[in-house]
Amino acid sequence: MGLLSRFFGRKNPLDIPIDQLRENQIKLDMQIRKIEDEIAEIDAQIAALFQRAKEARSKSEELTIATKIKTLNRKKQSLQNTHAQLNKQLMLVANLLIIKENEAILKGTPTWELLRKMSPEELEKNLVSMQLDAQNLNENLNIMLGYTDQAIGAGVEFEEDEELAEIMRTIQAVKEGELEPESAAEKVTGEKDKGEEVVTE
């Protein structure tokens, strides 16, 4: 099932009314903002857990905290995947809006005929993979039509390697003063390649 067919059924994307596209654009934007807020909240929770781990009195307590961090990190990764998919949908809707708003200019041109002949799936695949510019629409569309076989990039991928053990090592670094909780959170969630080290004397 294509991205747009989830919202508008199996009609040709070029036949979707502008007002429906605009309404969907607003909904997608709100969903994306909500997910971004949830991700920020998870980051704060992970940083707070590292702060708690700094005061942990036993390995079992550290392991409990590390497990909670791992669970939160998995949730964040899932949200990031959803965020990437929603951004693809938003790009598709934004590009369709530009085409629909310039439909009167495009109609009757070879470019419009090529667009109409595309299957809905093929049209979606191409519109989601590029950013159209209303001022250079024909040029943008001609470029797009030259890449009809180009595959859409895969979603966000995450590598995991002894995740829990890595979290435990990071907790030790926090306890020993080598990392601040915020830097530790960035380290395990992949926000930075390396956490900011704090040198203690």
Side-chain angles (χ1 to χ4, degrees):
M1 181 180 291
L3 295 175
L4 284 179
S5 58
R6 299 174 190 172
F7 302 100
F8 305 108
R10 296 192 175 278
K11 65 174 66 175
N12 189 305
L14 295 176
D15 295 329
I16 299 171
I18 286 181
D19 59 343
Q20 288 188 34
L21 288 171
R22 287 175 178 156
E23 181 181 349
N24 193 252
Q25 186 179 41
I26 292 170
K27 288 179 179 178
L28 285 168
D29 190 55
M30 290 175 63
Q31 286 180 282
I32 288 170
R33 290 183 184 181
K34 181 181 178 183
I35 287 177
E36 288 170 350
D37 289 342
E38 290 179 22
I39 289 173
E41 175 61 26
I42 287 174
D43 285 339
Q45 290 177 29
I46 290 175
L49 283 169
F50 273 114
Q51 183 63 45
R52 275 182 56 193
K54 199 172 182 179
E55 309 298 328
R57 293 163 293 181
S58 66
K59 286 292 181 184
S60 60
E61 188 176 354
E62 289 177 11
L63 182 59
T64 298
I65 293 171
T67 302
K68 289 179 180 179
I69 291 171
K70 178 180 177 180
T71 300
L72 285 170
N73 201 29
R74 292 282 179 87
K75 183 179 179 182
K76 177 179 177 178
Q77 291 170 0
S78 177
L79 286 171
Q80 286 174 321
N81 277 321
T82 302
H83 187 268
Q85 289 300 314
L86 288 174
N87 271 296
K88 280 186 178 182
Q89 293 177 36
L90 186 60
M91 178 72 75
L92 173 57
V93 170
N95 285 338
L96 265 177
L97 268 171
I98 290 175
I99 291 174
K100 293 291 290 183
E101 288 165 353
N102 292 274
E103 185 174 347
I105 298 172
L106 290 171
K107 271 188 174 178
T109 66
T111 299
W112 180 259
E113 294 306 314
L114 283 171
L115 289 172
R116 293 296 307 184
K117 288 177 182 177
M118 280 187 179
S119 68
E121 293 77 16
E122 191 176 19
L123 185 59
E124 286 186 19
K125 182 184 74 172
N126 285 282
L127 288 180
V128 81
S129 62
M130 70 177 299
Q131 175 69 61
L132 292 181
D133 182 345
Q135 294 182 343
N136 300 293
L137 183 58
N138 270 316
E139 180 182 349
N140 291 157
L141 287 173
N142 287 332
I143 292 172
M144 181 195 80
L145 293 171
Y147 293 100
T148 54
D149 294 326
Q150 183 177 357
I152 301 174
V156 179
E157 295 181 358
F158 299 91
E159 294 183 2
E160 295 178 357
D161 182 20
E162 298 180 346
E163 183 181 0
L164 197 58
E166 175 62 25
I167 293 171
M168 290 292 287
R169 287 192 290 270
T170 306
I171 285 175
Q172 286 304 309
V174 171
K175 290 175 72 73
E176 293 170 10
E178 296 174 5
L179 283 176
E180 290 297 327
E182 293 80 6
S183 299
E186 291 171 351
K187 183 174 187 292
V188 300
T189 59
E191 292 298 321
K192 292 184 178 180
D193 291 336
K194 292 184 179 179
E196 181 181 350
E197 293 188 358
V198 178
V199 179
T200 57
E201 296 182 357

